[in-house]
Each structure stands twice: as structure tokens, then as C-alpha cells.
Amino acid sequence: MNAPIRILLVDDHPMVREGLAVRLASVPRFEVVGEAGGRAEAMEQLARSAPDVVLMDVGLKDGNGIALGAEMLAARPAVKLLMFSMYDNPEYVQRALTAGARGYVLKDAPATEVVSAIDAVAAGGTFLSAAVSGRLFRGQAPKPVLTPRESEILSLLGQGASSKQIARDLDLSVRTVEAHRQSIKRKLELEGQAELIRYAVEHAREAAMK
């Protein structure tokens, strides 16, 4: 009998980790050897549990999952990194692949897709969720660059500011701020206000780490 695929789960939401662990435990060829909610715990578990695959969330409370994944690969090059995220934006996917991830699967994907992704990367292959793959290839054309004002507004959104607060801080009308928000969504191919805010918060986290 082949040795089981050893999996380390990294996500800052305990309920997500618990649900994943239960789901993966039902697969005989999988063994969840560790869980972590942040960077320090993840690095400790990496050394202690010697996983074959790290299933990594993109957004962590104490840092960026893509950057942490790259750090883990530097410490243990043989490990296979599989990103597990709610974000399907092509920019995140491209960053993850550039950092060394072998796959990118969405949190709302069917259980069978998560299992297939783990099998694929553990075997040395790659895996992208169908929705991720579609958006990635549609996004190959160069995107317009955000204007300085749009970048400023995106940064403020990531800090939790509302349109009214941004309008007051930048001496603009609320209507002008809303027009900039629509432009940012169009340029970055973001669907809806919720995705815009998630994107802004994630970029704010990355900026804080630099």
C-alpha cells in the first residue's frame, strides 16, 4: 500500500480548518498531519509534520498566504503548495503561481474538486479550479493601469474608509468617489462591491508587509 498523502492545512478560520479536516479524513489516501492559523504556527508545523502538500489560504490575519507559501517552499522545496481561497481574481492566481504554487482551488469548489487538486499537485502536476482557469485566460490581455487617484481611493477602501469618508478626506464629491470605484472595478475585472472591498483589503495587507 502506498504511503498516504500528508497534508498541512493553513487557514486563519478554525471552522474552515475543521471542516476541511473532516472532509479530507474521509479520503483513505489522505492524512491531515497538521493545522495552522498563522505564519509562526505554519512554519513550526512545516518542520514538525513534514507534509507532502500545504493547503494554504490566500488571506491570513497576520500576513499574506502567497508570501508565506513562498517562504515555506524556500524552507522545504519538496513540499507542494496548493492555494485554497475565496479570491478568483487573475492577479492573485498569477502571483500564487509565480511564488511557486502548484495549484489554486476555490473555497466554494465541490469536495471532489478539492480532492482532485490535492491528488494532482501531490503527483507533481498542477491544478486550477475551472472558474479560476477561465478568468485567468480571459485576463491575459494587458489591463489598464489605475490612475494615481484610483490607487489612492483603493488604498483608503482597504483601510476601511467609506465613500463619504474618502470624499471628505480627498475633498471630492461622493458621486466622484463612486465613479472612481466603478472605474477601479471595471479595470480590475471585479464583480460587485464585496469583491472590490476584499481586493482592497488584501492589497492593504500586502502593502503593510513591504
Side-chain angles (χ1 to χ4, degrees):
M1 179 180 292
N2 293 331
I5 297 172
R6 299 168 60 82
I7 304 166
L8 170 61
L9 306 178
V10 183
D11 193 293
D12 57 5
H13 293 92
M15 291 185 64
V16 173
R17 296 199 307 272
E18 181 180 342
L20 265 176
V22 170
R23 189 188 311 179
L24 299 179
S26 66
V27 182
R29 61 186 177 279
F30 292 168
E31 180 183 0
V32 176
V33 295
E35 299 181 23
R39 179 193 171 280
E41 192 178 5
M43 295 303 293
E44 180 182 345
Q45 286 289 341
L46 178 70
R48 177 188 300 171
S49 60
D52 300 309
V53 174
V54 174
L55 193 58
M56 171 76 73
D57 187 14
V58 168
L60 300 173
K61 290 179 181 177
D62 65 350
N64 178 280
I66 295 174
L68 175 57
E71 186 177 352
M72 297 177 85
L73 287 171
R76 186 178 173 84
V79 77
K80 304 298 191 302
L81 178 63
L82 174 60
M83 304 308 298
F84 184 64
S85 176
M86 68 173 63
Y87 305 113
D88 66 350
N89 189 281
E91 184 176 345
Y92 290 135
V93 181
Q94 194 60 60
R95 287 184 184 182
L97 298 178
T98 300
R102 303 301 299 266
Y104 197 109
V105 65
L106 298 178
K107 286 187 175 181
D108 61 359
T112 52
E113 187 169 299
V114 178
V115 170
S116 296
I118 293 172
D119 280 333
V121 300
T126 59
F127 188 97
L128 294 178
S129 283
V132 167
S133 179
R135 288 206 65 183
L136 182 64
F137 290 116
R138 287 199 305 272
Q140 290 301 309
K143 295 187 180 72
V145 177
L146 296 183
T147 66
R149 178 65 84 190
E150 289 168 346
S151 296
E152 191 174 17
I153 289 173
L154 183 66
S155 176
L156 290 171
L157 287 171
Q159 297 170 35
S162 66
S163 290
K164 288 184 178 179
Q165 291 171 320
I166 293 172
R168 183 179 63 247
D169 292 346
L170 301 182
D171 195 23
L172 300 171
S173 69
V174 173
R175 179 176 296 182
T176 297
V177 173
E178 290 294 335
H180 281 304
R181 289 178 65 146
Q182 292 298 323
S183 178
I184 293 168
K185 285 195 301 178
R186 185 180 67 254
K187 289 181 177 181
L188 298 179
E189 298 181 1
L190 301 173
E191 298 177 3
Q193 296 299 328
E195 188 171 354
L196 171 61
I197 297 303
R198 286 198 299 268
Y199 184 96
V201 169
E202 184 67 20
H203 274 253
R205 287 178 179 173
E206 291 178 4
M209 293 176 60
K210 293 179 180 179

